[in-house]
């Protein structure tokens, strides 16, 4: 290795004086205690320091971090730091971005005294990430004096006892440059939204599992630039919340784990032209999944040849759709199988009936439809989903004879669940046929198997295997001991 540190990976030096001004050591495998006499703190001209994703478990955020008077960007996130956030961080008056996020169990704590100094001194701050930091002793009104330059504020809490408590200042929603705000997980934090002359550049808003009282139509009407809206497990205004609002500009919408208890209105899906992520799981929705309402005619879309394709073309960007754990019933509308960008489809644990339509595109990665009341034959288009990694269709009433060798076409398959249907799986015991060796979980219980599938010999990554409630006769063919050693769940 060269003795000239300016040539080292992750090191940037000033071209004139040759001083180290930037260290980018993200996910570099660094570990151990970062104590106060570390040579890092002798780099007095540092402007940017990224130590995120390393292993400094047991290290405190030392007062010496306050020496970096020229620091603009400081990222200590997810590196195992512990203890109090040092008061000396407030000396970094030129700081534009500060990231102390921790996805662990809130090992970093921010006391009121340090927080007030940070708010008062870091007047150039634009990005502040404190998700997972224990702020239970910080009073919400201390946020009143945050920098008007702030564009991103992340205060997500993973442990409710470590969250903010009390009323969040309405003033924050009026910050002129604030584009991203995450207050999720602060269950004891409440507040209200501005009612007069509210114009905000907010693009990302997450109030999940917080104490805010949500008026969905009002929020979506006022926040004209909103791109990502996450309101999982919230409290809504009124006795029974309704799925109403202007969602036409939103690309990601998460309303999961709310007790709507109503039907999804027909107009809802026709109002989601930009959407690529939709999560309505565990919302107690009832009734049928509606057809898409549209005033458009097929002649307006010359590239489509059917009503279902026309409806699918109105949701061109939809990639993730989560509707599991509701009380939806009736047949699954055909437009859902005509979505050109759909990759993740979760419809399990509902009461759907009828048959599964054929998919018009081959974009699926995960398809979960178990625990419904579906009937009919297995759709052949499943075997054209070349990127499919998870297929879970257990506990329906799908029928027909299915050669197991069909699944050899799915080269990326990791999880396969077909148990408790009326299927008759036929195992072809040939040395020419093997299931994809990517499979780690295989559930074929109650699938009418009459012999042990020889094709299992290739599954070197298999960890879970369920062949119970079949009519398997004969011996279990010899499989390498190494394979059996990896399997931790066998039925």
């Amino acid at each position: 290795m060269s003795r000239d540190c300016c040539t080292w990976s992750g090191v940037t030096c000033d071209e004139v004086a040759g001083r180290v001004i930037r260290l980018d050591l993200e996910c570099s495998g660094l570990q151990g205690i970062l104590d106060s006499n570390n040579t890092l703190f002798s780099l007095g001209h540092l402007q940017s320091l990224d130590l995120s994703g390393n292993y400094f478990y047991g290290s405190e955020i030392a007062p010496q971090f306050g020496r970096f008077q020229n620091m603009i960007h400081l990222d200590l996130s997810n590196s195992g730091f512990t203890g109090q956030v040092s008061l000396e961080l407030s000396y970094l008056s030129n700081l534009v971005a500060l990231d102390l996020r921790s996805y662990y169990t809130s090992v970093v704590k921010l006391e009121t005294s340090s927080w007030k100094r940070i708010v008062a001194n870091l007047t150039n701050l634009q990005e502040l990430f404190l998700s997972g930091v224990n702020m239970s002793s910080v009073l919400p009104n201390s946020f009143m004096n945050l920098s008007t330059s702030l564009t991103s504020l992340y205060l997500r809490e993973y442990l409710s006892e470590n969250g903010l408590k009390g009323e969040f200042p309405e003033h924050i929603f009026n910050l002129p440059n604030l584009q991203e705000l995450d207050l999720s997980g602060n269950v004891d934090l409440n507040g209200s939204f501005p009612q007069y002359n509210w114009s905000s550049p907010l693009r990302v808003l997450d109030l999940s599992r917080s104490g805010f009282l949500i008026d969905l139509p009002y929020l979506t009407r006022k926040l004209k630039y909103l791109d990502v809206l996450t309101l999982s497990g919230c409290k809504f205004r009124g006795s029974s919340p309704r799925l109403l609002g202007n969602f036409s500009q939103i690309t990601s919408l998460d309303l999961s784990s709310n007790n709507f208890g109503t039907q999804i209105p027909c107009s809802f899906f026709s109002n989601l032209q930009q959407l690529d992520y939709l999560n309505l799981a565990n919302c107690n929705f009832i009734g049928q999944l509606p057809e898409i309402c549209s005033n458009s005619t097929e002649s307006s879309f010359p590239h489509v040849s059917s009503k279902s394709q026309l409806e699918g073309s109105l949701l061109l960007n939809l990639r993730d759709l989560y509707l599991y754990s509701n009380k939806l019933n009736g047949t699954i509308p055909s437009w859902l199988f005509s979505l050109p960008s759909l990759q993740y489809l979760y419809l399990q644990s509902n009461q759907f009936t009828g048959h599964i339509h054929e998919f018009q595109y081959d974009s699926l990665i995960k398809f979960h439809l178990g625990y419904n009341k579906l009937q009919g034959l297995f759709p052949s288009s499943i075997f054209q989903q070349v990127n499919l990694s998870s297929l879970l269709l257990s506990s329906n009433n799908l029928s027909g004879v299915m050669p197991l060798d069909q699944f050899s076409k799915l080269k990326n398959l990791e999880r396969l669940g077909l148990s408790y249907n009326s299927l008759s799986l036929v195992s072809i015991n040939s040395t020419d046929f093997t299931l994809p060796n990517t499979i780690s979980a295989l559930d074929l219980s109650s699938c009418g198997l009459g012999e042990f599938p020889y094709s299992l010999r290739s599954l070197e990554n298999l960890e879970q295997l369920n062949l119970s409630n079949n009519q398997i006769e004969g011996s279990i063919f010899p499989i390498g001991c190494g394979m059996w050693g990896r399997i931790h769940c066998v039925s």
Side-chain angles (χ1 to χ4, degrees):
M1 179 180 290
S2 170
R3 299 184 65 182
D4 181 6
C5 66
C6 294
T7 65
W8 298 353
S9 176
V11 178
T12 303
C13 293
D14 179 278
E15 293 183 358
V16 177
R19 294 164 174 161
V20 177
I21 58 173
R22 178 173 178 171
L23 279 181
D24 185 358
L25 302 176
E26 176 189 5
C27 298
S28 295
L30 301 175
Q31 56 186 330
I33 300 294
L34 188 64
D35 53 37
S36 58
N37 60 2
N38 193 285
T39 54
L40 169 69
F41 299 115
S42 65
L43 302 176
H45 297 277
L46 270 183
Q47 298 175 16
S48 177
L49 175 61
D50 188 347
L51 297 178
S52 63
N54 287 291
Y55 307 95
F56 302 120
Y57 294 104
S59 301
E60 294 188 357
I61 300 177
Q64 282 70 20
F65 279 102
R67 293 178 179 177
F68 299 123
Q69 296 297 307
N70 299 310
M71 188 70 72
I72 296 173
H73 178 279
L74 179 60
D75 189 345
L76 306 179
S77 62
N78 300 310
S79 285
F81 284 101
T82 187
Q84 306 286 349
V85 174
S86 174
L87 180 68
E88 282 74 11
L89 281 188
S90 66
Y91 299 166
L92 307 180
S93 58
N94 293 311
L95 211 58
V96 171
L98 175 61
D99 193 343
L100 302 179
R101 281 177 293 187
S102 174
Y103 298 128
Y104 309 115
T105 53
S106 293
V107 291
V108 174
K109 187 171 185 178
L110 185 54
E111 296 286 0
T112 300
S113 56
S114 297
W115 170 244
K116 285 184 175 180
R117 292 285 295 273
I118 287 173
V119 170
N121 293 346
L122 305 189
T123 56
N124 296 308
L125 209 55
Q126 295 179 16
E127 300 176 357
L128 181 57
F129 302 96
L130 298 175
S131 294
V133 174
N134 186 339
M135 300 186 69
S136 56
S137 66
V138 173
L139 297 177
N141 62 13
S142 61
F143 286 81
M144 285 290 294
N145 297 318
L146 275 173
S147 168
T148 56
S149 302
L150 204 64
T151 62
S152 301
L153 178 60
Y154 282 76
L155 302 171
R156 176 189 295 252
E157 191 50 68
Y158 303 103
L159 296 176
S160 58
E161 62 267 27
N162 292 336
L164 293 163
K165 298 172 176 62
E167 186 170 357
F168 195 70
E170 183 180 300
H171 162 76
I172 298 298
F173 294 101
N174 280 319
L175 288 177
N177 297 296
L178 190 62
Q179 297 181 31
E180 301 178 3
L181 177 61
D182 185 351
L183 301 175
S184 61
N186 291 279
V187 296
D188 295 314
L189 183 67
N190 55 60
S192 56
F193 306 104
Q195 295 298 311
Y196 303 102
N197 300 320
W198 186 23
S199 177
S200 170
L202 267 175
R203 293 187 303 103
V204 177
L205 178 62
D206 190 344
L207 299 175
S208 300
R209 302 176 308 283
S210 69
F212 280 84
L213 193 61
I214 305 298
D215 185 336
L216 193 55
Y218 180 74
L219 274 183
T220 56
R221 185 173 70 251
K222 286 295 186 179
L223 300 177
K224 300 182 184 301
Y225 302 99
L226 202 58
D227 184 49
V228 177
L229 179 60
T230 307
L231 299 173
S232 177
C234 282
K235 302 173 183 177
F236 286 81
R237 189 177 297 279
S239 57
S240 57
R242 292 187 295 170
L243 200 56
L244 298 175
N246 177 17
F247 307 110
S248 59
Q249 81 282 7
I250 291 177
T251 63
S252 177
L253 178 63
D254 185 347
L255 299 174
S256 61
S257 299
N258 290 301
N259 187 24
F260 283 94
T262 60
Q263 286 187 282
I264 299 176
C266 170
S267 59
F268 175 71
F269 286 105
S270 61
N271 191 24
L272 303 173
Q273 293 90 338
Q274 305 300 319
L275 204 69
D276 62 46
Y277 177 95
L278 176 61
N279 192 341
L280 299 178
N282 192 32
C283 284
N284 197 27
F285 283 118
I286 61 174
Q288 290 188 309
L289 196 58
E291 299 291 343
I292 294 179
C293 303
S294 173
N295 295 323
S296 303
T297 63
E298 291 189 28
S299 61
S300 304
F301 296 85
H303 61 287
V304 301
S305 58
S306 67
K307 182 174 183 291
S308 64
Q309 285 183 323
L310 169 63
E311 293 169 328
S313 70
L314 299 176
L315 294 168
L316 283 173
N317 302 310
L318 190 60
R319 185 190 67 240
D320 300 59
L321 179 57
Y322 301 90
L323 289 168
Y324 63 86
S325 298
N326 283 291
K327 296 177 182 177
L328 297 169
N329 57 35
T331 58
I332 302 174
S334 57
W335 62 261
L336 200 148
F337 298 88
S338 300
L339 301 174
S341 302
L342 191 64
Q343 296 181 2
Y344 300 90
L345 179 57
Y346 288 64
L347 301 176
Q348 70 270 28
S349 300
N350 280 287
Q351 300 168 18
F352 289 119
T353 57
H355 66 281
I356 305 174
H357 293 272
E358 297 289 350
F359 285 96
Q360 303 301 308
Y361 298 91
D362 59 0
S363 54
L364 276 182
I365 294 177
K366 293 187 178 182
F367 182 33
H368 294 183
L369 194 49
Y371 301 93
N372 280 285
K373 301 176 181 179
L374 294 159
Q375 300 175 335
L377 299 176
F378 196 89
S380 60
S381 57
I382 287 292
F383 301 111
Q384 299 169 10
Q385 307 297 322
V386 293
N387 296 313
L388 196 66
S389 67
S390 183
L391 176 62
L392 303 181
L393 303 178
S394 296
S395 297
N396 282 287
N397 195 28
L398 301 176
S399 58
V401 177
M402 181 187 302
L404 201 54
D405 66 323
Q406 290 277 63
F407 293 97
S408 64
K409 301 174 183 178
L410 305 177
K411 303 299 184 183
N412 296 296
L413 197 62
E414 297 176 4
R415 301 175 66 198
L416 175 61
L418 302 175
S419 63
Y420 295 100
N421 281 284
S422 297
L423 294 168
S424 292
L425 289 185
V426 178
S427 175
I428 300 177
N429 286 343
S430 166
T431 56
D432 297 327
F433 158 61
T434 58
L435 286 170
N437 63 9
T438 51
I439 292 179
S440 61
L442 182 61
D443 187 354
L444 302 180
S445 59
S446 190
C447 281
L449 285 170
E451 58 185 350
F452 198 90
Y454 188 72
S455 54
L456 296 188
R457 72 190 187 281
S458 66
L459 303 185
E460 56 189 32
N461 294 302
L462 192 64
E463 296 179 353
Q464 299 178 28
L465 175 63
N466 190 350
L467 299 176
S468 62
N469 295 308
N470 284 290
Q471 294 81 44
I472 295 176
E473 296 180 353
S475 61
I476 297 177
F477 63 86
I479 305 179
C481 294
M483 173 184 171
W484 287 118
R486 283 188 296 273
I487 298 177
H488 59 74
C489 182
V490 180
S491 297

